[in-house]
Amino acid sequence: MWCIQTIDDEYRTRMMDVLEVYERPYDPRRPVVCLDEKSKQLLTPSRPSLPMKPGKPQRIDYEYERHGTVNLFVATEPKGSFRDVRVTKRRTRKDFAKEIEHLLTHVYPDVETLVLVTDNLNIHSPKSLKETFDEEYAEAFLRRIEWHYTPKHASWLDMAEIEINCLTRQCLDQSFRHPKAVRQSVKAWVKDRNKKGVGINWTFTREKAEKTMVSRYENLKG
């Protein structure tokens, strides 16, 4: 909680709103999906590494050649024990709109409503869809989304960050030269994690939030 700057009315309202969403019973017709992004540099060592020998680990030079970056859209359904990760070249409004299209037409084509949790990044808005698609197409998507935003400076409330942390440690903690290699590695990681049915056990409830933060909030109110 040390990352919190101020707890004003807006912060508290948004926090409680997101926590209420997380406390809902699992409903496959209305899945709660947390969405966020991660950037990954494409790097290769500038000099060959020295192989392992008995008593000596592999030695890798600290200098790298840079080959640009890729973006990863990470969507996770904590109670459904499911995630979907898509690798793109960029992270623009159009890319975000295409990610929403991907979720609603390929990942969740039959759900009644996608209960979407995101942070406050400027591309995370209905405006991205309206600027990318024609009005009727965009509105058809937006009617199927129930949008919830974390408070400003509180992206830690987006459970996609937990999934991104696991993805980084278990899959992306290596060098990639081409986007294709990232996609292949991520695809295998996602397939394995979904097969194992790994979910997220979120324990920070509205009750705990009140006990933890009420004193600071009341002091701000005067």
Side-chain angles (χ1 to χ4, degrees):
M1 304 303 174
W2 58 86
C3 60
I4 299 172
Q5 296 179 346
T6 58
I7 302 177
D8 55 16
D9 287 330
E10 180 183 3
Y11 189 108
R12 184 177 182 278
T13 298
R14 287 194 176 191
M15 176 179 65
M16 292 302 182
D17 174 64
V18 170
L19 294 179
E20 183 277 324
V21 169
Y22 291 165
E23 291 173 32
R24 295 177 186 177
Y26 176 64
D27 185 350
R29 299 168 302 172
R30 299 174 58 85
V32 174
V33 175
C34 303
L35 179 62
D36 205 352
E37 305 87 17
K38 175 178 175 58
S39 178
K40 172 65 178 176
Q41 286 194 79
L42 302 176
L43 305 168
T44 53
S46 57
R47 289 181 285 188
S49 61
L50 297 177
M52 277 193 302
K53 294 182 179 180
K56 290 185 178 181
Q58 181 186 25
R59 284 167 287 180
I60 302 174
D61 193 82
Y62 64 89
E63 292 186 357
Y64 289 89
E65 293 180 20
R66 300 179 184 275
H67 306 284
T69 62
V70 292
N71 173 69
L72 295 93
F73 283 107
V74 179
T76 183
E77 188 187 340
K79 290 186 177 179
S81 301
F82 178 82
R83 73 276 304 135
D84 182 81
V85 181
R86 201 164 63 93
V87 181
T88 61
K89 291 182 179 180
R90 293 171 296 275
R91 185 188 66 178
T92 65
R93 285 189 180 277
K94 182 176 181 180
D95 295 306
F96 178 75
K98 291 290 186 180
E99 171 64 13
I100 296 298
E101 180 185 40
H102 167 73
L103 290 175
L104 289 173
T105 60
H106 296 288
V107 183
Y108 298 101
D110 301 319
V111 300
E112 185 178 295
T113 302
L114 189 72
V115 183
L116 186 66
V117 177
T118 65
D119 63 22
N120 291 271
L121 188 66
N122 62 344
I123 67 171
H124 295 165
S125 73
K127 183 179 179 181
S128 295
L129 279 73
K130 293 177 181 179
E131 290 182 355
T132 303
F133 307 122
D134 65 56
E135 183 178 359
E136 185 177 352
Y137 194 63
E139 287 298 333
F141 286 142
L142 292 172
R143 283 194 294 269
R144 295 178 59 204
I145 299 174
E146 180 187 316
W147 218 308
H148 298 267
Y149 289 103
T150 63
K152 294 178 181 178
H153 310 295
S155 59
W156 57 273
L157 280 164
D158 184 347
M159 277 195 266
E161 288 207 349
I162 298 174
E163 195 70 25
I164 287 173
N165 190 343
C166 295
L167 174 65
T168 300
R169 290 186 291 105
Q170 299 173 5
C171 177
L172 300 179
D173 190 20
Q174 56 183 301
S175 297
F176 297 96
R177 182 184 181 92
H178 299 292
K180 182 178 179 180
V182 181
R183 291 189 179 94
Q184 290 174 338
S185 185
V186 167
K187 182 178 179 180
W189 180 85
V190 168
K191 182 179 179 180
D192 178 69
R193 200 161 167 84
N194 283 338
K195 184 178 180 179
K196 291 177 179 176
V198 179
I200 297 175
N201 182 25
W202 183 267
T203 60
F204 187 62
T205 63
R206 285 175 290 174
E207 181 180 0
K208 288 184 179 180
E210 287 286 8
K211 290 180 179 178
T212 304
M213 300 180 177
V214 67
S215 60
R216 290 188 61 185
Y217 176 70
E218 291 300 331
N219 287 339
L220 286 168
K221 289 180 68 176

